[in-house]
Amino acid sequence: MRIGELAERAGTTTRTLRYYESRGLLAARRTENGYRTYDEDDLRLIRQIRTLQDFGFELEETRPFVECLQAGHPAGDACPASLDVYRRKLAELDVLVEQLQAVRAQVAAQLLRAEAELPGGPEPTCELGGGGSDAK
C-alpha cells in the first residue's frame, strides 16, 4: 500500500508517517518511480506506536516495541527491552499518582476548612476581577 492508504488505515497523517520514517521507526520500501510502499506489518508497527502514545509514552519509548515487532515477534511487548520500558513507565505513573493524591488531599483539606468557616460566619469577600469601589 502507499503512504496515503497506510495513513488512512492507521488513523494518522502522511506527515506523521514521514516523521516516523525520519526517526527510524518506519522503513519504507520504494517503487521504481520512487513511491513509498508499505505492508500489513508496517500497519501493525504504526498501530503499536499510536497505542503506546495514547497511553502517554514518548515516541522514543516506542522504539523497543517497534524493534520487537520488526524482529518477527507476534507482539511488540514480547521482548525484554519492551518490558523494561513498561516497568519504567509504571514507576513514572506511580510517582504521578502519589503527587496527585497529595494535591487532592490538600484541596480536600482546604475545602473542609472553607466549609467549616462558612456557616454562621461573615460572608466571604472575593477580590477576583478587580471590581470594587476603587475601580475606575
Side-chain angles (χ1 to χ4, degrees):
M1 74 188 90
R2 298 215 339 231
I3 193 168
E5 182 182 350
L6 178 62
E8 184 177 329
R9 289 183 62 193
T12 191
T13 64
T14 57
R15 182 178 179 185
T16 297
L17 297 179
R18 287 187 195 99
Y19 180 68
Y20 292 167
E21 187 178 338
S22 75
R23 298 296 306 265
L25 294 168
L26 181 65
R29 288 155 302 284
R30 298 282 185 157
T31 62
E32 289 181 18
N33 57 4
Y35 290 118
R36 291 173 170 89
T37 62
Y38 304 92
D39 59 22
E40 294 298 319
D41 289 337
D42 296 315
L43 180 58
R44 282 186 348 140
L45 293 177
I46 301 307
R47 286 182 174 157
Q48 176 77 77
I49 291 168
R50 295 194 40 84
T51 297
L52 291 169
Q53 286 193 301
D54 287 346
F55 291 159
F57 287 68
E58 297 294 326
L59 184 59
E60 192 56 35
E61 291 175 312
T62 69
R63 187 173 301 280
F65 298 86
V66 169
E67 290 171 350
C68 191
L69 285 171
Q70 289 170 332
H73 294 277
D77 57 7
C79 297
S82 302
L83 299 178
D84 288 343
V85 173
Y86 275 154
R87 287 183 190 100
R88 282 194 304 272
K89 184 56 74 177
L90 280 174
E92 288 175 23
L93 291 170
D94 287 342
V95 168
L96 290 173
V97 167
E98 288 174 17
Q99 290 172 344
L100 286 172
Q101 287 174 333
V103 169
R104 186 194 185 288
Q106 291 172 345
V107 170
Q110 287 294 100
L111 174 61
L112 285 174
R113 182 201 49 79
E115 287 176 336
E117 293 175 1
L118 203 70
E123 281 293 314
T125 57
C126 297
E127 297 182 19
L128 298 177
S133 60
D134 299 21
K136 296 186 180 187

